[in-house]
Amino acid sequence: MIASALSPRRYPEPRAMLRLIKPITWFPPVWAYLCGSVSAGVPLGGQWGLVLLGMILSGPIVCGMSQAANDWCDRHVDAVNEPDRPIPSGRIPGRWGLWIALAMTGLSLAVGWLLGPWGFYATVAGVIAAWAYSAEPVRLKRSGWWGPGLVGLSYEGLPWFTGAAVLLGAAPRFEVVMVALLYALGAHGIMTLNDFKALEGDRQHGVRSLPVVLGPEVAARIACTVMAMAQVLVVALLLVWGKPWQGLAVTLLIVAQFAAMRVLFRDPKGKAPWYNGTGVVLYVTGMMISAFALRGLA
């Protein structure tokens, strides 16, 4: 009985497999895809099938795949930072973590094909970005600048662009692309704050995140500055495009974020998770307001 209890697991624990693909991380790309669909200006009444399929692809499938790939490539770092995670804890044994990530890569491409050329090629880009972020020899997550930038683009900009392109069957107009890029740029700050939870393991394994290189205080100020500047530029564009009320709404959300940032700056490392649950909600609310403003330009 004791030997059985101590013997290594042969197959993954089902609950650990769900934890591996981290449902909590699906919201940003799902929301961005929905924002892109709204911003396209196409009537959604007869398109909900495409919208829902794209949201499932961007969240549970592609984002889930990226999380599995990241956990496999980060298993040594996680053994220091979070040893209870599915792979270092042994609840997903052997190379099962890699096999799950590869299987979900194939599933991503298959579902992306169902969304037509724009959806498929965007899925290819997302898959490449996911592996480039985590896997050697590229492993862009080692950089505190390139890593968060790639994730921000993949989580916010690419799904937004794809949501609009799939419904239009063509490249979205300039205004949609600009707003998607700006919110993707601002998401660099969100991803920098997300790096705070892995400070010790990142130091030991050579991941040069901004909190590691610059310290939590400076990294927090850079992250918040990037987020705020991106949104200020969105407001400026909305005013130029004749959408003052939507611009005012996003401005009020920025002001509320400034109040949350003051709390963050008092204890950047301790308050980063709180800010991700507070300031980021305000940020993504502004995304949808901007999407409806763009819809009115169509």
Side-chain angles (χ1 to χ4, degrees), residues 20 64-74 97 100-101 105 130-131 134-135:
L20 180 70
M65 176 275 298
S66 74
Q67 296 299 328
N70 186 61
D71 270 24
W72 171 255
C73 297
D74 264 9
I100 291 170
T105 297
W131 285 101
S134 299

mmCIF file of all heavy atoms in Angstrom, residues 20 64-74 97 100-101 105 130-131 134-135:
data_model
loop_
_atom_site.group_PDB
_atom_site.id
_atom_site.type_symbol
_atom_site.label_atom_id
_atom_site.label_comp_id
_atom_site.label_asym_id
_atom_site.label_seq_id
_atom_site.Cartn_x
_atom_site.Cartn_y
_atom_site.Cartn_z
ATOM 1 N N LEU A 20 -3.793 23.191 -15.715
ATOM 2 C CA LEU A 20 -2.677 23.434 -16.631
ATOM 3 C C LEU A 20 -3.025 24.481 -17.668
ATOM 4 O O LEU A 20 -2.181 25.315 -18.029
ATOM 5 C CB LEU A 20 -2.286 22.124 -17.314
ATOM 6 C CG LEU A 20 -1.118 22.195 -18.305
ATOM 7 C CD1 LEU A 20 0.197 22.427 -17.569
ATOM 8 C CD2 LEU A 20 -1.045 20.915 -19.133
ATOM 9 N N GLY A 64 -5.360 28.468 -23.839
ATOM 10 C CA GLY A 64 -5.101 27.273 -23.042
ATOM 11 C C GLY A 64 -3.850 26.547 -23.514
ATOM 12 O O GLY A 64 -3.038 26.074 -22.708
ATOM 13 N N MET A 65 -3.691 26.457 -24.831
ATOM 14 C CA MET A 65 -2.488 25.836 -25.382
ATOM 15 C C MET A 65 -1.238 26.592 -24.955
ATOM 16 O O MET A 65 -0.222 25.999 -24.568
ATOM 17 C CB MET A 65 -2.595 25.800 -26.914
ATOM 18 C CG MET A 65 -1.360 25.272 -27.636
ATOM 19 S SD MET A 65 -0.067 26.523 -27.942
ATOM 20 C CE MET A 65 -0.941 27.662 -28.998
ATOM 21 N N SER A 66 -1.293 27.925 -25.025
ATOM 22 C CA SER A 66 -0.125 28.723 -24.655
ATOM 23 C C SER A 66 0.239 28.531 -23.189
ATOM 24 O O SER A 66 1.424 28.522 -22.828
ATOM 25 C CB SER A 66 -0.387 30.202 -24.957
ATOM 26 O OG SER A 66 -1.286 30.772 -24.029
ATOM 27 N N GLN A 67 -0.772 28.362 -22.339
ATOM 28 C CA GLN A 67 -0.495 28.138 -20.919
ATOM 29 C C GLN A 67 0.143 26.775 -20.694
ATOM 30 O O GLN A 67 1.069 26.642 -19.875
ATOM 31 C CB GLN A 67 -1.794 28.249 -20.112
ATOM 32 C CG GLN A 67 -2.435 29.621 -20.142
ATOM 33 C CD GLN A 67 -1.537 30.705 -19.561
ATOM 34 O OE1 GLN A 67 -0.752 30.455 -18.655
ATOM 35 N NE2 GLN A 67 -1.656 31.910 -20.086
ATOM 36 N N ALA A 68 -0.343 25.757 -21.412
ATOM 37 C CA ALA A 68 0.262 24.426 -21.292
ATOM 38 C C ALA A 68 1.712 24.445 -21.784
ATOM 39 O O ALA A 68 2.606 23.867 -21.139
ATOM 40 C CB ALA A 68 -0.560 23.409 -22.079
ATOM 41 N N ALA A 69 1.948 25.114 -22.916
ATOM 42 C CA ALA A 69 3.310 25.209 -23.444
ATOM 43 C C ALA A 69 4.214 25.952 -22.476
ATOM 44 O O ALA A 69 5.365 25.555 -22.225
ATOM 45 C CB ALA A 69 3.288 25.911 -24.810
ATOM 46 N N ASN A 70 3.706 27.045 -21.908
ATOM 47 C CA ASN A 70 4.504 27.831 -20.984
ATOM 48 C C ASN A 70 4.847 27.038 -19.724
ATOM 49 O O ASN A 70 5.976 27.076 -19.229
ATOM 50 C CB ASN A 70 3.760 29.109 -20.611
ATOM 51 C CG ASN A 70 4.610 30.031 -19.759
ATOM 52 O OD1 ASN A 70 5.664 30.486 -20.177
ATOM 53 N ND2 ASN A 70 4.153 30.302 -18.548
ATOM 54 N N ASP A 71 3.866 26.298 -19.190
ATOM 55 C CA ASP A 71 4.132 25.517 -17.983
ATOM 56 C C ASP A 71 5.130 24.392 -18.263
ATOM 57 O O ASP A 71 5.947 24.056 -17.391
ATOM 58 C CB ASP A 71 2.829 24.932 -17.434
ATOM 59 C CG ASP A 71 2.161 25.869 -16.440
ATOM 60 O OD1 ASP A 71 2.422 27.091 -16.523
ATOM 61 O OD2 ASP A 71 1.389 25.397 -15.596
ATOM 62 N N TRP A 72 5.064 23.793 -19.453
ATOM 63 C CA TRP A 72 6.033 22.756 -19.782
ATOM 64 C C TRP A 72 7.438 23.353 -19.867
ATOM 65 O O TRP A 72 8.397 22.831 -19.290
ATOM 66 C CB TRP A 72 5.678 22.063 -21.093
ATOM 67 C CG TRP A 72 6.773 21.152 -21.556
ATOM 68 C CD1 TRP A 72 7.663 21.371 -22.566
ATOM 69 C CD2 TRP A 72 7.126 19.890 -20.987
ATOM 70 N NE1 TRP A 72 8.542 20.324 -22.665
ATOM 71 C CE2 TRP A 72 8.232 19.401 -21.703
ATOM 72 C CE3 TRP A 72 6.600 19.132 -19.936
ATOM 73 C CZ2 TRP A 72 8.833 18.187 -21.407
ATOM 74 C CZ3 TRP A 72 7.201 17.903 -19.641
ATOM 75 C CH2 TRP A 72 8.294 17.448 -20.362
ATOM 76 N N CYS A 73 7.560 24.474 -20.584
ATOM 77 C CA CYS A 73 8.871 25.103 -20.749
ATOM 78 C C CYS A 73 9.373 25.740 -19.454
ATOM 79 O O CYS A 73 10.580 25.947 -19.296
ATOM 80 C CB CYS A 73 8.805 26.159 -21.857
ATOM 81 S SG CYS A 73 8.410 25.500 -23.495
ATOM 82 N N ASP A 74 8.469 26.043 -18.535
ATOM 83 C CA ASP A 74 8.816 26.698 -17.273
ATOM 84 C C ASP A 74 8.845 25.739 -16.090
ATOM 85 O O ASP A 74 8.872 26.183 -14.946
ATOM 86 C CB ASP A 74 7.787 27.801 -16.963
ATOM 87 C CG ASP A 74 8.268 29.155 -17.411
ATOM 88 O OD1 ASP A 74 9.293 29.228 -18.101
ATOM 89 O OD2 ASP A 74 7.611 30.152 -17.068
ATOM 90 N N GLY A 97 2.781 16.960 -20.148
ATOM 91 C CA GLY A 97 2.584 18.400 -20.328
ATOM 92 C C GLY A 97 2.902 18.832 -21.751
ATOM 93 O O GLY A 97 2.170 19.621 -22.368
ATOM 94 N N ILE A 100 0.196 17.421 -24.204
ATOM 95 C CA ILE A 100 -1.046 18.205 -24.137
ATOM 96 C C ILE A 100 -0.892 19.503 -24.927
ATOM 97 O O ILE A 100 -1.780 19.891 -25.702
ATOM 98 C CB ILE A 100 -1.418 18.493 -22.670
ATOM 99 C CG1 ILE A 100 -1.849 17.199 -21.974
ATOM 100 C CG2 ILE A 100 -2.532 19.536 -22.589
ATOM 101 C CD1 ILE A 100 -1.999 17.333 -20.466
ATOM 102 N N ALA A 101 0.251 20.165 -24.761
ATOM 103 C CA ALA A 101 0.487 21.418 -25.486
ATOM 104 C C ALA A 101 0.518 21.184 -26.992
ATOM 105 O O ALA A 101 -0.043 21.977 -27.769
ATOM 106 C CB ALA A 101 1.792 22.061 -25.015
ATOM 107 N N THR A 105 -2.092 22.496 -29.844
ATOM 108 C CA THR A 105 -1.606 23.248 -31.004
ATOM 109 C C THR A 105 -2.306 22.766 -32.270
ATOM 110 O O THR A 105 -2.779 23.570 -33.088
ATOM 111 C CB THR A 105 -0.082 23.080 -31.146
ATOM 112 O OG1 THR A 105 0.568 23.632 -29.998
ATOM 113 C CG2 THR A 105 0.420 23.786 -32.398
ATOM 114 N N ALA A 130 2.966 31.903 -29.205
ATOM 115 C CA ALA A 130 2.932 31.165 -27.937
ATOM 116 C C ALA A 130 4.211 30.363 -27.723
ATOM 117 O O ALA A 130 4.795 30.382 -26.629
ATOM 118 C CB ALA A 130 1.715 30.235 -27.914
ATOM 119 N N TRP A 131 4.656 29.664 -28.764
ATOM 120 C CA TRP A 131 5.874 28.865 -28.617
ATOM 121 C C TRP A 131 7.127 29.738 -28.604
ATOM 122 O O TRP A 131 8.099 29.426 -27.883
ATOM 123 C CB TRP A 131 5.952 27.828 -29.727
ATOM 124 C CG TRP A 131 4.992 26.692 -29.501
ATOM 125 C CD1 TRP A 131 3.776 26.501 -30.101
ATOM 126 C CD2 TRP A 131 5.148 25.599 -28.583
ATOM 127 N NE1 TRP A 131 3.166 25.364 -29.624
ATOM 128 C CE2 TRP A 131 3.979 24.784 -28.691
ATOM 129 C CE3 TRP A 131 6.143 25.224 -27.690
ATOM 130 C CZ2 TRP A 131 3.811 23.630 -27.937
ATOM 131 C CZ3 TRP A 131 5.974 24.072 -26.936
ATOM 132 C CH2 TRP A 131 4.822 23.289 -27.056
ATOM 133 N N SER A 134 7.730 30.992 -25.007
ATOM 134 C CA SER A 134 8.110 30.066 -23.941
ATOM 135 C C SER A 134 9.291 29.168 -24.268
ATOM 136 O O SER A 134 10.060 28.805 -23.372
ATOM 137 C CB SER A 134 6.903 29.178 -23.585
ATOM 138 O OG SER A 134 5.821 29.950 -23.120
ATOM 139 N N ALA A 135 9.425 28.743 -25.523
ATOM 140 C CA ALA A 135 10.334 27.644 -25.850
ATOM 141 C C ALA A 135 11.718 28.124 -26.257
ATOM 142 O O ALA A 135 11.884 29.174 -26.893
ATOM 143 C CB ALA A 135 9.727 26.793 -26.967
#
